[in-house]
Amino acid sequence: MRQLGELEAEIMHRLWAWGRPASARDVLTDINKQRPLAYSTVKTVADILHRKGMLQRHKEGRAWVYTPTCTRQQYTASLMKEALGSNPDPAGTLVSFLEDMTPEETEALRSALRTVKRRSNS
């Protein structure tokens, strides 16, 4: 899964945050609170995200309503796996990543590792 473009990310972040299906008009209304954008632009990018498999859609009346096909966490994890997989030294990459982590991020990692360990032991 490749990294999202700027508007693709804006659309996906809204849909992930809302946790509900939404139309391009819904997304546009929210984006327009911060900056003006054309409906056709949002609709086109939503359609591109659908073709890429990031969004599923169904008709409600005359409008398409979009829902993410993965969670924000799943998307982020796929980017991380891609970055590690494309690197000839994944261990070195992980060390560099870990050195830059905040204490809160370090604790989140420890918690995630405990969760994975519990799941694998059950």
Side-chain angles (χ1 to χ4, degrees):
M1 196 174 293
R2 72 171 193 67
Q3 191 165 354
L4 298 171
E6 183 180 337
L7 185 53
E8 290 174 328
E10 274 193 74
I11 291 170
M12 292 303 298
H13 291 309
R14 280 173 171 77
L15 292 172
W16 283 322
W18 293 341
R20 62 171 173 79
S23 68
R25 179 75 56 203
D26 295 331
V27 174
L28 174 70
T29 300
D30 198 52
I31 290 174
N32 278 341
K33 292 175 184 175
Q34 297 169 337
R35 65 182 173 113
L37 204 58
Y39 171 79
S40 60
T41 302
V42 173
K43 177 76 172 89
T44 297
V45 174
D47 288 340
I48 290 168
L49 286 165
H50 174 258
R51 285 195 304 275
K52 289 180 177 180
M54 293 290 300
L55 295 176
Q56 58 186 356
R57 67 182 185 187
H58 68 275
K59 281 273 193 177
E60 283 189 11
R62 293 179 39 200
W64 288 110
V65 176
Y66 299 91
T67 307
T69 58
C70 65
T71 65
R72 181 189 315 252
Q73 293 79 5
Q74 290 167 326
Y75 170 72
T76 303
S78 73
L79 291 178
M80 293 167 68
K81 284 176 76 171
E82 185 177 317
L84 285 175
S86 66
N87 191 302
D89 181 16
T93 301
L94 285 169
V95 168
S96 293
F97 179 74
L98 293 171
E99 288 173 341
D100 290 337
M101 289 177 70
T102 66
E104 294 81 17
E105 292 166 337
T106 302
E107 184 49 42
L109 176 60
R110 285 188 178 111
S111 176
L113 290 170
R114 286 189 298 270
T115 299
V116 169
K117 185 175 181 179
R118 278 194 302 269
R119 288 181 185 170
S120 68
N121 289 334
S122 27

CSV table of all heavy atoms in Angstrom, one decimal, residues 28-68:
chain,number,residue,atom,x,y,z
A,28,LEU,N,-16.5,17.4,1.6
A,28,LEU,CA,-16.3,18.7,1.1
A,28,LEU,C,-16.7,19.8,2.1
A,28,LEU,O,-16.0,20.8,2.4
A,28,LEU,CB,-17.1,18.9,-0.2
A,28,LEU,CG,-17.0,20.3,-0.8
A,28,LEU,CD1,-15.6,20.7,-1.2
A,28,LEU,CD2,-18.0,20.5,-1.9
A,29,THR,N,-17.9,19.6,2.7
A,29,THR,CA,-18.4,20.6,3.7
A,29,THR,C,-17.4,20.7,4.8
A,29,THR,O,-17.2,21.9,5.3
A,29,THR,CB,-19.8,20.1,4.2
A,29,THR,OG1,-20.7,20.0,3.1
A,29,THR,CG2,-20.3,21.1,5.3
A,30,ASP,N,-16.8,19.6,5.3
A,30,ASP,CA,-15.9,19.7,6.4
A,30,ASP,C,-14.6,20.4,5.9
A,30,ASP,O,-14.0,21.2,6.6
A,30,ASP,CB,-15.6,18.3,7.0
A,30,ASP,CG,-15.0,18.4,8.3
A,30,ASP,OD1,-15.6,19.1,9.2
A,30,ASP,OD2,-14.0,17.8,8.5
A,31,ILE,N,-14.1,20.0,4.8
A,31,ILE,CA,-12.8,20.6,4.3
A,31,ILE,C,-13.0,22.1,4.0
A,31,ILE,O,-12.1,22.9,4.3
A,31,ILE,CB,-12.4,19.9,3.0
A,31,ILE,CG1,-11.9,18.5,3.3
A,31,ILE,CG2,-11.3,20.7,2.3
A,31,ILE,CD1,-11.5,17.7,2.0
A,32,ASN,N,-14.2,22.5,3.5
A,32,ASN,CA,-14.4,23.9,3.2
A,32,ASN,C,-14.5,24.8,4.5
A,32,ASN,O,-14.4,26.0,4.4
A,32,ASN,CB,-15.7,24.1,2.4
A,32,ASN,CG,-15.5,23.8,1.0
A,32,ASN,OD1,-14.4,23.9,0.5
A,32,ASN,ND2,-16.6,23.6,0.3
A,33,LYS,N,-14.5,24.2,5.7
A,33,LYS,CA,-14.4,25.0,6.9
A,33,LYS,C,-13.0,25.5,7.1
A,33,LYS,O,-12.8,26.5,7.8
A,33,LYS,CB,-14.7,24.1,8.1
A,33,LYS,CG,-16.2,23.7,8.2
A,33,LYS,CD,-16.4,22.7,9.4
A,33,LYS,CE,-17.8,22.2,9.4
A,33,LYS,NZ,-18.0,21.2,10.5
A,34,GLN,N,-12.0,24.9,6.4
A,34,GLN,CA,-10.6,25.3,6.5
A,34,GLN,C,-10.1,26.0,5.2
A,34,GLN,O,-9.3,26.9,5.3
A,34,GLN,CB,-9.7,24.1,6.9
A,34,GLN,CG,-10.1,23.5,8.2
A,34,GLN,CD,-9.4,22.2,8.4
A,34,GLN,OE1,-9.1,21.5,7.5
A,34,GLN,NE2,-9.3,21.8,9.7
A,35,ARG,N,-10.6,25.5,4.1
A,35,ARG,CA,-10.1,26.0,2.8
A,35,ARG,C,-11.1,25.7,1.7
A,35,ARG,O,-11.8,24.7,1.8
A,35,ARG,CB,-8.7,25.5,2.4
A,35,ARG,CG,-8.7,24.0,2.2
A,35,ARG,CD,-7.3,23.5,1.9
A,35,ARG,NE,-7.2,22.1,1.8
A,35,ARG,CZ,-7.0,21.4,0.7
A,35,ARG,NH1,-6.8,22.1,-0.5
A,35,ARG,NH2,-6.9,20.1,0.7
A,36,PRO,N,-11.2,26.6,0.7
A,36,PRO,CA,-12.2,26.3,-0.4
A,36,PRO,C,-11.7,25.2,-1.3
A,36,PRO,O,-10.5,25.1,-1.6
A,36,PRO,CB,-12.3,27.6,-1.1
A,36,PRO,CG,-11.0,28.3,-0.8
A,36,PRO,CD,-10.6,27.8,0.5
A,37,LEU,N,-12.6,24.3,-1.7
A,37,LEU,CA,-12.3,23.2,-2.6
A,37,LEU,C,-13.5,22.9,-3.4
A,37,LEU,O,-14.6,23.0,-2.9
A,37,LEU,CB,-11.8,22.0,-1.8
A,37,LEU,CG,-10.9,21.0,-2.4
A,37,LEU,CD1,-9.6,21.6,-2.9
A,37,LEU,CD2,-10.6,19.9,-1.5
A,38,ALA,N,-13.4,22.5,-4.6
A,38,ALA,CA,-14.5,22.2,-5.5
A,38,ALA,C,-15.0,20.8,-5.2
A,38,ALA,O,-14.3,19.9,-4.9
A,38,ALA,CB,-14.1,22.3,-7.0
A,39,TYR,N,-16.3,20.6,-5.3
A,39,TYR,CA,-17.0,19.3,-5.1
A,39,TYR,C,-16.4,18.3,-6.1
A,39,TYR,O,-16.1,17.2,-5.7
A,39,TYR,CB,-18.5,19.4,-5.3
A,39,TYR,CG,-19.1,18.1,-5.4
A,39,TYR,CD1,-19.4,17.4,-4.2
A,39,TYR,CD2,-19.5,17.5,-6.6
A,39,TYR,CE1,-20.0,16.1,-4.2
A,39,TYR,CE2,-20.1,16.2,-6.6
A,39,TYR,CZ,-20.4,15.6,-5.4
A,39,TYR,OH,-20.9,14.3,-5.5
A,40,SER,N,-16.2,18.7,-7.3
A,40,SER,CA,-15.6,17.7,-8.3
A,40,SER,C,-14.3,17.2,-7.9
A,40,SER,O,-13.9,16.0,-8.2
A,40,SER,CB,-15.6,18.4,-9.7
A,40,SER,OG,-14.8,19.5,-9.7
A,41,THR,N,-13.5,18.0,-7.3
A,41,THR,CA,-12.1,17.6,-6.8
A,41,THR,C,-12.2,16.5,-5.8
A,41,THR,O,-11.6,15.5,-5.8
A,41,THR,CB,-11.3,18.8,-6.3
A,41,THR,OG1,-11.2,19.8,-7.3
A,41,THR,CG2,-9.9,18.4,-5.8
A,42,VAL,N,-13.1,16.8,-4.8
A,42,VAL,CA,-13.3,15.8,-3.7
A,42,VAL,C,-13.9,14.5,-4.3
A,42,VAL,O,-13.4,13.4,-3.9
A,42,VAL,CB,-14.1,16.3,-2.6
A,42,VAL,CG1,-14.5,15.3,-1.5
A,42,VAL,CG2,-13.5,17.5,-1.9
A,43,LYS,N,-14.8,14.6,-5.1
A,43,LYS,CA,-15.5,13.4,-5.7
A,43,LYS,C,-14.5,12.6,-6.5
A,43,LYS,O,-14.4,11.4,-6.5
A,43,LYS,CB,-16.6,13.9,-6.6
A,43,LYS,CG,-17.3,12.8,-7.4
A,43,LYS,CD,-18.2,12.0,-6.5
A,43,LYS,CE,-19.1,11.0,-7.2
A,43,LYS,NZ,-18.5,9.7,-7.4
A,44,THR,N,-13.6,13.3,-7.3
A,44,THR,CA,-12.6,12.6,-8.1
A,44,THR,C,-11.6,11.9,-7.2
A,44,THR,O,-11.3,10.7,-7.5
A,44,THR,CB,-11.9,13.6,-9.0
A,44,THR,OG1,-12.8,14.2,-9.9
A,44,THR,CG2,-10.8,13.0,-9.8
A,45,VAL,N,-11.2,12.5,-6.2
A,45,VAL,CA,-10.2,11.9,-5.3
A,45,VAL,C,-10.8,10.7,-4.5
A,45,VAL,O,-10.2,9.7,-4.4
A,45,VAL,CB,-9.5,12.9,-4.4
A,45,VAL,CG1,-8.6,12.2,-3.3
A,45,VAL,CG2,-8.7,13.9,-5.2
A,46,ALA,N,-12.1,10.8,-4.1
A,46,ALA,CA,-12.8,9.7,-3.5
A,46,ALA,C,-12.9,8.6,-4.4
A,46,ALA,O,-12.7,7.4,-4.0
A,46,ALA,CB,-14.1,10.2,-3.0
A,47,ASP,N,-13.2,8.8,-5.7
A,47,ASP,CA,-13.3,7.8,-6.7
A,47,ASP,C,-11.9,7.1,-6.9
A,47,ASP,O,-11.8,5.9,-7.1
A,47,ASP,CB,-13.8,8.3,-8.0
A,47,ASP,CG,-15.3,8.6,-8.0
A,47,ASP,OD1,-16.0,8.1,-7.1
A,47,ASP,OD2,-15.7,9.4,-8.8
A,48,ILE,N,-10.8,7.9,-6.9
A,48,ILE,CA,-9.5,7.3,-7.0
A,48,ILE,C,-9.2,6.4,-5.8
A,48,ILE,O,-8.7,5.3,-6.0
A,48,ILE,CB,-8.4,8.5,-7.2
A,48,ILE,CG1,-8.6,9.1,-8.5
A,48,ILE,CG2,-7.0,7.9,-6.9
A,48,ILE,CD1,-7.8,10.4,-8.6
A,49,LEU,N,-9.5,6.9,-4.6
A,49,LEU,CA,-9.3,6.0,-3.5
A,49,LEU,C,-10.1,4.7,-3.5
A,49,LEU,O,-9.7,3.7,-3.1
A,49,LEU,CB,-9.7,6.8,-2.2
A,49,LEU,CG,-8.7,7.9,-1.8
A,49,LEU,CD1,-9.3,8.8,-0.8
A,49,LEU,CD2,-7.4,7.3,-1.3
A,50,HIS,N,-11.3,4.8,-4.1
A,50,HIS,CA,-12.1,3.6,-4.3
A,50,HIS,C,-11.4,2.6,-5.3
A,50,HIS,O,-11.3,1.4,-5.0
A,50,HIS,CB,-13.5,4.0,-4.8
A,50,HIS,CG,-14.3,2.8,-5.2
A,50,HIS,ND1,-14.5,2.4,-6.5
A,50,HIS,CD2,-15.0,1.9,-4.4
A,50,HIS,CE1,-15.3,1.3,-6.5
A,50,HIS,NE2,-15.6,1.0,-5.3
A,51,ARG,N,-10.9,3.2,-6.4
A,51,ARG,CA,-10.2,2.3,-7.4
A,51,ARG,C,-9.0,1.7,-6.8
A,51,ARG,O,-8.6,0.6,-7.2
A,51,ARG,CB,-9.9,3.1,-8.6
A,51,ARG,CG,-11.1,3.4,-9.5
A,51,ARG,CD,-10.7,3.8,-10.9
A,51,ARG,NE,-9.9,5.0,-11.0
A,51,ARG,CZ,-10.3,6.3,-10.9
A,51,ARG,NH1,-11.6,6.5,-10.9
A,51,ARG,NH2,-9.5,7.3,-11.0
A,52,LYS,N,-8.3,2.4,-5.9
A,52,LYS,CA,-7.1,1.9,-5.2
A,52,LYS,C,-7.4,0.9,-4.1
A,52,LYS,O,-6.5,0.3,-3.6
A,52,LYS,CB,-6.3,3.1,-4.6
A,52,LYS,CG,-5.7,4.0,-5.6
A,52,LYS,CD,-4.9,5.1,-4.9
A,52,LYS,CE,-4.2,6.0,-5.8
A,52,LYS,NZ,-3.4,7.0,-5.1
A,53,GLY,N,-8.7,0.7,-3.8
A,53,GLY,CA,-9.1,-0.2,-2.8
A,53,GLY,C,-9.1,0.3,-1.4
A,53,GLY,O,-9.3,-0.4,-0.4
A,54,MET,N,-8.9,1.6,-1.2
A,54,MET,CA,-8.9,2.2,0.1
A,54,MET,C,-10.3,2.5,0.6
A,54,MET,O,-10.5,2.6,1.8
A,54,MET,CB,-8.1,3.5,0.1
A,54,MET,CG,-6.6,3.4,-0.2
A,54,MET,SD,-5.7,2.7,1.2
A,54,MET,CE,-6.1,3.8,2.5
A,55,LEU,N,-11.3,2.7,-0.3
A,55,LEU,CA,-12.6,3.0,0.1
A,55,LEU,C,-13.6,2.0,-0.6
A,55,LEU,O,-13.3,1.6,-1.8
A,55,LEU,CB,-13.0,4.4,-0.4
A,55,LEU,CG,-12.3,5.6,0.3
A,55,LEU,CD1,-12.8,6.9,-0.3
A,55,LEU,CD2,-12.6,5.6,1.8
A,56,GLN,N,-14.6,1.6,0.1
A,56,GLN,CA,-15.7,0.9,-0.6
A,56,GLN,C,-16.9,2.0,-0.7
A,56,GLN,O,-16.8,3.0,0.0
A,56,GLN,CB,-16.1,-0.3,0.1
A,56,GLN,CG,-16.6,-0.1,1.6
A,56,GLN,CD,-16.8,-1.4,2.3
A,56,GLN,OE1,-16.8,-2.5,1.7
A,56,GLN,NE2,-17.1,-1.3,3.6
A,57,ARG,N,-17.8,1.7,-1.6
A,57,ARG,CA,-18.9,2.7,-1.8
A,57,ARG,C,-20.2,2.0,-2.1
A,57,ARG,O,-20.2,0.9,-2.6
A,57,ARG,CB,-18.5,3.7,-2.8
A,57,ARG,CG,-18.4,3.2,-4.2
A,57,ARG,CD,-18.0,4.2,-5.2
A,57,ARG,NE,-18.0,3.6,-6.6
A,57,ARG,CZ,-17.6,4.2,-7.7
A,57,ARG,NH1,-17.1,5.4,-7.6
A,57,ARG,NH2,-17.7,3.6,-8.8
A,58,HIS,N,-21.2,2.7,-1.8
A,58,HIS,CA,-22.6,2.2,-2.2
A,58,HIS,C,-23.4,3.5,-2.4
A,58,HIS,O,-23.1,4.5,-1.9
A,58,HIS,CB,-23.2,1.3,-1.1
A,58,HIS,CG,-23.5,2.0,0.2
A,58,HIS,ND1,-22.6,2.2,1.2
A,58,HIS,CD2,-24.7,2.6,0.6
A,58,HIS,CE1,-23.2,2.8,2.2
A,58,HIS,NE2,-24.5,3.1,1.8
A,59,LYS,N,-24.5,3.3,-3.2
A,59,LYS,CA,-25.3,4.4,-3.6
A,59,LYS,C,-26.4,4.6,-2.5
A,59,LYS,O,-27.0,3.7,-2.0
A,59,LYS,CB,-26.1,4.1,-4.9
A,59,LYS,CG,-25.3,4.3,-6.1
A,59,LYS,CD,-25.4,5.8,-6.6
A,59,LYS,CE,-24.9,5.9,-8.0
A,59,LYS,NZ,-25.0,7.2,-8.5
A,60,GLU,N,-26.6,5.9,-2.2
A,60,GLU,CA,-27.7,6.3,-1.3
A,60,GLU,C,-28.4,7.4,-2.1
A,60,GLU,O,-27.8,8.5,-2.2
A,60,GLU,CB,-27.2,6.8,0.0
A,60,GLU,CG,-26.9,5.7,1.0
A,60,GLU,CD,-26.6,6.1,2.4
A,60,GLU,OE1,-26.9,7.3,2.7
A,60,GLU,OE2,-26.1,5.3,3.2
A,61,GLY,N,-29.5,7.1,-2.7
A,61,GLY,CA,-30.1,8.1,-3.6
A,61,GLY,C,-29.3,8.2,-4.9
A,61,GLY,O,-28.9,7.2,-5.5
A,62,ARG,N,-28.9,9.5,-5.2
A,62,ARG,CA,-28.0,9.7,-6.3
A,62,ARG,C,-26.5,9.8,-6.0
A,62,ARG,O,-25.7,9.9,-6.9
A,62,ARG,CB,-28.4,11.0,-7.0
A,62,ARG,CG,-29.8,10.9,-7.7
A,62,ARG,CD,-30.3,12.1,-8.3
A,62,ARG,NE,-29.2,12.8,-9.0
A,62,ARG,CZ,-29.3,14.1,-9.4
A,62,ARG,NH1,-30.3,14.8,-9.0
A,62,ARG,NH2,-28.3,14.7,-10.0
A,63,ALA,N,-26.2,9.8,-4.7
A,63,ALA,CA,-24.8,10.0,-4.2
A,63,ALA,C,-24.2,8.7,-3.8
A,63,ALA,O,-24.8,7.8,-3.3
A,63,ALA,CB,-24.8,11.0,-3.1
A,64,TRP,N,-22.8,8.6,-4.1
A,64,TRP,CA,-22.0,7.5,-3.5
A,64,TRP,C,-21.7,7.9,-2.1
A,64,TRP,O,-21.4,9.0,-1.8
A,64,TRP,CB,-20.7,7.4,-4.3
A,64,TRP,CG,-20.9,6.8,-5.7
A,64,TRP,CD1,-20.8,7.4,-6.9
A,64,TRP,CD2,-21.2,5.4,-6.0
A,64,TRP,NE1,-21.0,6.6,-7.9
A,64,TRP,CE2,-21.2,5.3,-7.4
A,64,TRP,CE3,-21.5,4.3,-5.3
A,64,TRP,CZ2,-21.5,4.1,-8.1
A,64,TRP,CZ3,-21.8,3.1,-5.9
A,64,TRP,CH2,-21.8,3.0,-7.3
A,65,VAL,N,-21.7,6.9,-1.3
A,65,VAL,CA,-21.3,7.0,0.1
A,65,VAL,C,-20.1,6.1,0.4
A,65,VAL,O,-20.1,4.9,0.0
A,65,VAL,CB,-22.5,6.6,1.1
A,65,VAL,CG1,-22.1,6.7,2.5
A,65,VAL,CG2,-23.7,7.5,0.8
A,66,TYR,N,-19.1,6.6,1.0
A,66,TYR,CA,-17.8,6.0,1.1
A,66,TYR,C,-17.5,5.5,2.5
A,66,TYR,O,-17.8,6.2,3.4
A,66,TYR,CB,-16.7,6.9,0.6
A,66,TYR,CG,-16.8,7.3,-0.8
A,66,TYR,CD1,-17.5,8.5,-1.2
A,66,TYR,CD2,-16.3,6.6,-1.9
A,66,TYR,CE1,-17.7,8.9,-2.5
A,66,TYR,CE2,-16.4,6.9,-3.2
A,66,TYR,CZ,-17.1,8.1,-3.5
A,66,TYR,OH,-17.3,8.5,-4.8
A,67,THR,N,-16.8,4.4,2.6
A,67,THR,CA,-16.4,3.8,3.8
A,67,THR,C,-15.0,3.3,3.7
A,67,THR,O,-14.7,2.6,2.7
A,67,THR,CB,-17.3,2.6,4.3
A,67,THR,OG1,-18.7,3.1,4.3
A,67,THR,CG2,-16.9,2.1,5.7
A,68,PRO,N,-14.1,3.5,4.6
A,68,PRO,CA,-12.7,3.0,4.5
A,68,PRO,C,-12.7,1.5,4.5
A,68,PRO,O,-13.5,0.8,5.2
A,68,PRO,CB,-12.0,3.5,5.7
A,68,PRO,CG,-12.8,4.7,6.1
A,68,PRO,CD,-14.2,4.4,5.8
